[in-house]
PDB file of all heavy atoms in Angstrom:
ATOM      1  N   HIS A 418      92.627 304.893  24.387  1.00  0.00           N
ATOM      2  CA  HIS A 418      91.621 304.975  25.443  1.00  0.00           C
ATOM      3  C   HIS A 418      91.230 306.447  25.626  1.00  0.00           C
ATOM      4  O   HIS A 418      91.524 307.054  26.659  1.00  0.00           O
ATOM      5  CB  HIS A 418      92.157 304.416  26.765  1.00  0.00           C
ATOM      6  CG  HIS A 418      92.366 302.940  26.771  1.00  0.00           C
ATOM      7  ND1 HIS A 418      93.516 302.356  26.304  1.00  0.00           N
ATOM      8  CD2 HIS A 418      91.569 301.916  27.178  1.00  0.00           C
ATOM      9  CE1 HIS A 418      93.424 301.046  26.433  1.00  0.00           C
ATOM     10  NE2 HIS A 418      92.251 300.748  26.955  1.00  0.00           N
ATOM     11  N   PRO A 419      90.592 307.046  24.653  1.00  0.00           N
ATOM     12  CA  PRO A 419      90.312 308.487  24.741  1.00  0.00           C
ATOM     13  C   PRO A 419      89.420 308.859  25.915  1.00  0.00           C
ATOM     14  O   PRO A 419      89.636 309.888  26.565  1.00  0.00           O
ATOM     15  CB  PRO A 419      89.639 308.804  23.393  1.00  0.00           C
ATOM     16  CG  PRO A 419      89.123 307.495  22.900  1.00  0.00           C
ATOM     17  CD  PRO A 419      90.077 306.459  23.392  1.00  0.00           C
ATOM     18  N   PHE A 420      88.408 308.045  26.197  1.00  0.00           N
ATOM     19  CA  PHE A 420      87.480 308.396  27.273  1.00  0.00           C
ATOM     20  C   PHE A 420      88.158 308.260  28.636  1.00  0.00           C
ATOM     21  O   PHE A 420      88.073 309.157  29.479  1.00  0.00           O
ATOM     22  CB  PHE A 420      86.238 307.503  27.195  1.00  0.00           C
ATOM     23  CG  PHE A 420      85.150 307.915  28.130  1.00  0.00           C
ATOM     24  CD1 PHE A 420      84.396 309.041  27.881  1.00  0.00           C
ATOM     25  CD2 PHE A 420      84.880 307.172  29.268  1.00  0.00           C
ATOM     26  CE1 PHE A 420      83.386 309.432  28.750  1.00  0.00           C
ATOM     27  CE2 PHE A 420      83.881 307.544  30.138  1.00  0.00           C
ATOM     28  CZ  PHE A 420      83.130 308.682  29.877  1.00  0.00           C
ATOM     29  N   SER A 421      88.837 307.135  28.864  1.00  0.00           N
ATOM     30  CA  SER A 421      89.538 306.945  30.135  1.00  0.00           C
ATOM     31  C   SER A 421      90.623 308.002  30.321  1.00  0.00           C
ATOM     32  O   SER A 421      90.823 308.511  31.431  1.00  0.00           O
ATOM     33  CB  SER A 421      90.150 305.543  30.198  1.00  0.00           C
ATOM     34  OG  SER A 421      89.154 304.546  30.174  1.00  0.00           O
ATOM     35  N   ALA A 422      91.315 308.335  29.239  1.00  0.00           N
ATOM     36  CA  ALA A 422      92.362 309.352  29.331  1.00  0.00           C
ATOM     37  C   ALA A 422      91.780 310.703  29.718  1.00  0.00           C
ATOM     38  O   ALA A 422      92.378 311.451  30.510  1.00  0.00           O
ATOM     39  CB  ALA A 422      93.105 309.456  28.005  1.00  0.00           C
ATOM     40  N   ALA A 423      90.615 311.044  29.176  1.00  0.00           N
ATOM     41  CA  ALA A 423      89.980 312.313  29.525  1.00  0.00           C
ATOM     42  C   ALA A 423      89.601 312.352  31.001  1.00  0.00           C
ATOM     43  O   ALA A 423      89.785 313.366  31.685  1.00  0.00           O
ATOM     44  CB  ALA A 423      88.744 312.533  28.646  1.00  0.00           C
ATOM     45  N   VAL A 424      89.080 311.239  31.526  1.00  0.00           N
ATOM     46  CA  VAL A 424      88.716 311.188  32.944  1.00  0.00           C
ATOM     47  C   VAL A 424      89.955 311.301  33.818  1.00  0.00           C
ATOM     48  O   VAL A 424      89.956 312.026  34.830  1.00  0.00           O
ATOM     49  CB  VAL A 424      87.950 309.885  33.244  1.00  0.00           C
ATOM     50  CG1 VAL A 424      87.706 309.735  34.735  1.00  0.00           C
ATOM     51  CG2 VAL A 424      86.623 309.862  32.495  1.00  0.00           C
ATOM     52  N   VAL A 425      91.028 310.613  33.439  1.00  0.00           N
ATOM     53  CA  VAL A 425      92.270 310.716  34.208  1.00  0.00           C
ATOM     54  C   VAL A 425      92.781 312.153  34.203  1.00  0.00           C
ATOM     55  O   VAL A 425      93.219 312.677  35.243  1.00  0.00           O
ATOM     56  CB  VAL A 425      93.329 309.760  33.635  1.00  0.00           C
ATOM     57  CG1 VAL A 425      94.697 310.032  34.249  1.00  0.00           C
ATOM     58  CG2 VAL A 425      92.939 308.313  33.890  1.00  0.00           C
ATOM     59  N   ALA A 426      92.712 312.824  33.061  1.00  0.00           N
ATOM     60  CA  ALA A 426      93.208 314.195  32.963  1.00  0.00           C
ATOM     61  C   ALA A 426      92.390 315.147  33.832  1.00  0.00           C
ATOM     62  O   ALA A 426      92.942 315.965  34.581  1.00  0.00           O
ATOM     63  CB  ALA A 426      93.185 314.651  31.510  1.00  0.00           C
ATOM     64  N   VAL A 427      91.074 315.051  33.747  1.00  0.00           N
ATOM     65  CA  VAL A 427      90.217 315.950  34.522  1.00  0.00           C
ATOM     66  C   VAL A 427      90.395 315.716  36.017  1.00  0.00           C
ATOM     67  O   VAL A 427      90.540 316.671  36.799  1.00  0.00           O
ATOM     68  CB  VAL A 427      88.746 315.769  34.105  1.00  0.00           C
ATOM     69  CG1 VAL A 427      87.825 316.516  35.059  1.00  0.00           C
ATOM     70  CG2 VAL A 427      88.524 316.257  32.689  1.00  0.00           C
ATOM     71  N   CYS A 428      90.386 314.466  36.443  1.00  0.00           N
ATOM     72  CA  CYS A 428      90.561 314.161  37.863  1.00  0.00           C
ATOM     73  C   CYS A 428      91.960 314.540  38.346  1.00  0.00           C
ATOM     74  O   CYS A 428      92.133 314.934  39.507  1.00  0.00           O
ATOM     75  CB  CYS A 428      90.289 312.686  38.118  1.00  0.00           C
ATOM     76  SG  CYS A 428      88.563 312.191  37.849  1.00  0.00           S
ATOM     77  N   SER A 429      92.958 314.436  37.479  1.00  0.00           N
ATOM     78  CA  SER A 429      94.315 314.851  37.856  1.00  0.00           C
ATOM     79  C   SER A 429      94.386 316.348  38.106  1.00  0.00           C
ATOM     80  O   SER A 429      95.101 316.812  39.004  1.00  0.00           O
ATOM     81  CB  SER A 429      95.310 314.449  36.767  1.00  0.00           C
ATOM     82  OG  SER A 429      95.392 313.043  36.649  1.00  0.00           O
TER      83      SER A 429
END
Side-chain angles (χ1 to χ4, degrees):
H418 291 85
F420 188 73
S421 296
V424 173
V425 170
V427 170
C428 293
S429 295

